[in-house]
mmCIF file of all heavy atoms in Angstrom:
data_model
loop_
_atom_site.group_PDB
_atom_site.id
_atom_site.type_symbol
_atom_site.label_atom_id
_atom_site.label_comp_id
_atom_site.label_asym_id
_atom_site.label_seq_id
_atom_site.Cartn_x
_atom_site.Cartn_y
_atom_site.Cartn_z
ATOM 1 N N ARG A 57 -31.185 -144.732 82.920
ATOM 2 C CA ARG A 57 -32.243 -143.756 83.240
ATOM 3 C C ARG A 57 -32.992 -144.138 84.525
ATOM 4 O O ARG A 57 -33.543 -143.295 85.210
ATOM 5 C CB ARG A 57 -33.233 -143.695 82.077
ATOM 6 C CG ARG A 57 -34.480 -142.793 82.330
ATOM 7 C CD ARG A 57 -34.094 -141.374 82.469
ATOM 8 N NE ARG A 57 -35.240 -140.516 82.683
ATOM 9 C CZ ARG A 57 -35.821 -140.231 83.834
ATOM 10 N NH1 ARG A 57 -35.312 -140.785 84.928
ATOM 11 N NH2 ARG A 57 -36.841 -139.384 83.943
ATOM 12 N N PHE A 58 -33.044 -145.458 84.863
ATOM 13 C CA PHE A 58 -33.887 -145.937 85.943
ATOM 14 C C PHE A 58 -33.059 -146.504 87.119
ATOM 15 O O PHE A 58 -31.930 -146.938 86.911
ATOM 16 C CB PHE A 58 -34.865 -147.014 85.392
ATOM 17 C CG PHE A 58 -35.655 -146.514 84.210
ATOM 18 C CD1 PHE A 58 -35.319 -146.869 82.903
ATOM 19 C CD2 PHE A 58 -36.748 -145.676 84.417
ATOM 20 C CE1 PHE A 58 -36.065 -146.403 81.859
ATOM 21 C CE2 PHE A 58 -37.541 -145.283 83.341
ATOM 22 C CZ PHE A 58 -37.164 -145.592 82.079
ATOM 23 N N TYR A 78 -37.700 -138.853 96.546
ATOM 24 C CA TYR A 78 -36.894 -138.136 95.530
ATOM 25 C C TYR A 78 -37.740 -138.071 94.231
ATOM 26 O O TYR A 78 -38.136 -139.067 93.697
ATOM 27 C CB TYR A 78 -35.589 -138.911 95.306
ATOM 28 C CG TYR A 78 -34.664 -138.355 94.274
ATOM 29 C CD1 TYR A 78 -34.242 -137.053 94.270
ATOM 30 C CD2 TYR A 78 -34.160 -139.224 93.253
ATOM 31 C CE1 TYR A 78 -33.387 -136.595 93.356
ATOM 32 C CE2 TYR A 78 -33.308 -138.720 92.284
ATOM 33 C CZ TYR A 78 -32.925 -137.461 92.325
ATOM 34 O OH TYR A 78 -32.036 -136.927 91.391
ATOM 35 N N GLY A 79 -37.996 -136.848 93.803
ATOM 36 C CA GLY A 79 -38.969 -136.671 92.712
ATOM 37 C C GLY A 79 -38.491 -136.933 91.325
ATOM 38 O O GLY A 79 -38.600 -136.099 90.427
ATOM 39 N N ASP A 80 -37.862 -138.057 91.153
ATOM 40 C CA ASP A 80 -37.375 -138.520 89.826
ATOM 41 C C ASP A 80 -38.197 -139.695 89.400
ATOM 42 O O ASP A 80 -38.187 -140.756 90.064
ATOM 43 C CB ASP A 80 -35.902 -138.829 89.841
ATOM 44 C CG ASP A 80 -35.282 -139.159 88.511
ATOM 45 O OD1 ASP A 80 -36.053 -139.541 87.596
ATOM 46 O OD2 ASP A 80 -34.066 -138.998 88.361
ATOM 47 N N ILE A 81 -38.954 -139.573 88.318
ATOM 48 C CA ILE A 81 -39.846 -140.691 87.873
ATOM 49 C C ILE A 81 -39.076 -141.887 87.433
ATOM 50 O O ILE A 81 -39.691 -142.960 87.178
ATOM 51 C CB ILE A 81 -40.862 -140.213 86.773
ATOM 52 C CG1 ILE A 81 -40.093 -139.806 85.537
ATOM 53 C CG2 ILE A 81 -41.715 -139.124 87.314
ATOM 54 C CD1 ILE A 81 -40.973 -139.443 84.377
ATOM 55 N N GLY A 82 -37.721 -141.765 87.282
ATOM 56 C CA GLY A 82 -36.912 -142.909 86.926
ATOM 57 C C GLY A 82 -36.617 -143.860 88.120
ATOM 58 O O GLY A 82 -36.056 -144.926 87.915
ATOM 59 N N TRP A 83 -36.999 -143.412 89.339
ATOM 60 C CA TRP A 83 -36.802 -144.284 90.493
ATOM 61 C C TRP A 83 -38.010 -145.211 90.653
ATOM 62 O O TRP A 83 -38.947 -144.860 91.310
ATOM 63 C CB TRP A 83 -36.553 -143.392 91.759
ATOM 64 C CG TRP A 83 -35.115 -142.895 91.787
ATOM 65 C CD1 TRP A 83 -34.478 -142.286 90.770
ATOM 66 C CD2 TRP A 83 -34.209 -143.064 92.832
ATOM 67 N NE1 TRP A 83 -33.151 -142.041 91.157
ATOM 68 C CE2 TRP A 83 -32.957 -142.470 92.434
ATOM 69 C CE3 TRP A 83 -34.248 -143.605 94.144
ATOM 70 C CZ2 TRP A 83 -31.836 -142.428 93.221
ATOM 71 C CZ3 TRP A 83 -33.154 -143.567 94.919
ATOM 72 C CH2 TRP A 83 -31.938 -143.028 94.468
ATOM 73 N N LEU A 84 -37.916 -146.350 89.995
ATOM 74 C CA LEU A 84 -39.043 -147.235 89.781
ATOM 75 C C LEU A 84 -39.617 -147.785 91.043
ATOM 76 O O LEU A 84 -40.855 -147.905 91.212
ATOM 77 C CB LEU A 84 -38.681 -148.339 88.774
ATOM 78 C CG LEU A 84 -38.221 -147.919 87.405
ATOM 79 C CD1 LEU A 84 -37.900 -149.114 86.581
ATOM 80 C CD2 LEU A 84 -39.280 -147.034 86.745
ATOM 81 N N ILE A 87 -41.720 -145.110 92.602
ATOM 82 C CA ILE A 87 -43.000 -144.913 91.821
ATOM 83 C C ILE A 87 -43.944 -146.047 92.047
ATOM 84 O O ILE A 87 -45.169 -145.824 92.099
ATOM 85 C CB ILE A 87 -42.641 -144.777 90.310
ATOM 86 C CG1 ILE A 87 -41.751 -143.551 90.043
ATOM 87 C CG2 ILE A 87 -43.893 -144.812 89.468
ATOM 88 C CD1 ILE A 87 -42.372 -142.241 90.566
ATOM 89 N N LEU A 101 -43.919 -136.429 96.728
ATOM 90 C CA LEU A 101 -42.737 -136.448 95.824
ATOM 91 C C LEU A 101 -42.222 -135.073 95.767
ATOM 92 O O LEU A 101 -42.928 -134.057 95.598
ATOM 93 C CB LEU A 101 -43.136 -136.979 94.423
ATOM 94 C CG LEU A 101 -43.395 -138.437 94.316
ATOM 95 C CD1 LEU A 101 -43.579 -138.867 92.833
ATOM 96 C CD2 LEU A 101 -42.289 -139.289 94.942
ATOM 97 N N TRP A 120 -41.618 -137.285 78.432
ATOM 98 C CA TRP A 120 -41.900 -137.794 79.715
ATOM 99 C C TRP A 120 -42.862 -136.946 80.526
ATOM 100 O O TRP A 120 -43.300 -137.356 81.645
ATOM 101 C CB TRP A 120 -40.591 -137.948 80.539
ATOM 102 C CG TRP A 120 -39.644 -138.917 80.010
ATOM 103 C CD1 TRP A 120 -38.509 -138.689 79.228
ATOM 104 C CD2 TRP A 120 -39.728 -140.339 80.126
ATOM 105 N NE1 TRP A 120 -37.854 -139.858 78.912
ATOM 106 C CE2 TRP A 120 -38.596 -140.894 79.428
ATOM 107 C CE3 TRP A 120 -40.614 -141.203 80.735
ATOM 108 C CZ2 TRP A 120 -38.408 -142.265 79.366
ATOM 109 C CZ3 TRP A 120 -40.406 -142.565 80.652
ATOM 110 C CH2 TRP A 120 -39.318 -143.100 79.981
ATOM 111 N N ASP A 121 -43.311 -135.819 80.051
ATOM 112 C CA ASP A 121 -44.146 -134.892 80.786
ATOM 113 C C ASP A 121 -45.473 -135.608 81.148
ATOM 114 O O ASP A 121 -45.944 -135.532 82.281
ATOM 115 C CB ASP A 121 -44.451 -133.631 80.010
ATOM 116 C CG ASP A 121 -43.281 -132.681 79.979
ATOM 117 O OD1 ASP A 121 -42.334 -132.885 80.763
ATOM 118 O OD2 ASP A 121 -43.257 -131.728 79.154
ATOM 119 N N VAL A 123 -46.111 -138.724 81.480
ATOM 120 C CA VAL A 123 -45.900 -139.703 82.515
ATOM 121 C C VAL A 123 -45.714 -139.054 83.875
ATOM 122 O O VAL A 123 -46.259 -139.541 84.858
ATOM 123 C CB VAL A 123 -44.649 -140.542 82.146
ATOM 124 C CG1 VAL A 123 -44.349 -141.574 83.254
ATOM 125 C CG2 VAL A 123 -44.858 -141.266 80.809
ATOM 126 N N ARG A 124 -44.951 -137.932 83.887
ATOM 127 C CA ARG A 124 -44.714 -137.264 85.172
ATOM 128 C C ARG A 124 -46.023 -136.779 85.791
ATOM 129 O O ARG A 124 -46.239 -136.989 86.980
ATOM 130 C CB ARG A 124 -43.780 -136.055 84.933
ATOM 131 C CG ARG A 124 -43.516 -135.294 86.185
ATOM 132 C CD ARG A 124 -42.631 -134.039 85.915
ATOM 133 N NE ARG A 124 -41.289 -134.391 85.460
ATOM 134 C CZ ARG A 124 -40.842 -134.216 84.265
ATOM 135 N NH1 ARG A 124 -41.594 -133.646 83.321
ATOM 136 N NH2 ARG A 124 -39.616 -134.567 83.965
ATOM 137 N N LEU A 127 -48.203 -139.646 87.172
ATOM 138 C CA LEU A 127 -47.674 -140.207 88.440
ATOM 139 C C LEU A 127 -47.820 -139.238 89.578
ATOM 140 O O LEU A 127 -48.209 -139.609 90.707
ATOM 141 C CB LEU A 127 -46.185 -140.607 88.253
ATOM 142 C CG LEU A 127 -45.928 -141.762 87.308
ATOM 143 C CD1 LEU A 127 -44.417 -141.885 87.051
ATOM 144 C CD2 LEU A 127 -46.544 -143.043 87.803
ATOM 145 N N MET A 128 -47.558 -137.957 89.357
ATOM 146 C CA MET A 128 -47.708 -136.960 90.375
ATOM 147 C C MET A 128 -49.134 -136.852 90.908
ATOM 148 O O MET A 128 -49.354 -136.562 92.109
ATOM 149 C CB MET A 128 -47.219 -135.557 89.893
ATOM 150 C CG MET A 128 -45.730 -135.480 89.573
ATOM 151 S SD MET A 128 -44.723 -135.742 91.051
ATOM 152 C CE MET A 128 -43.068 -135.408 90.349
#
Side-chain angles (χ1 to χ4, degrees):
R57 175 68 179 85
F58 305 100
Y78 178 54
D80 186 334
I81 62 175
W83 280 52
L84 299 182
I87 296 304
L101 287 188
W120 293 102
D121 286 345
V123 177
R124 180 184 295 109
L127 294 173
M128 293 296 186

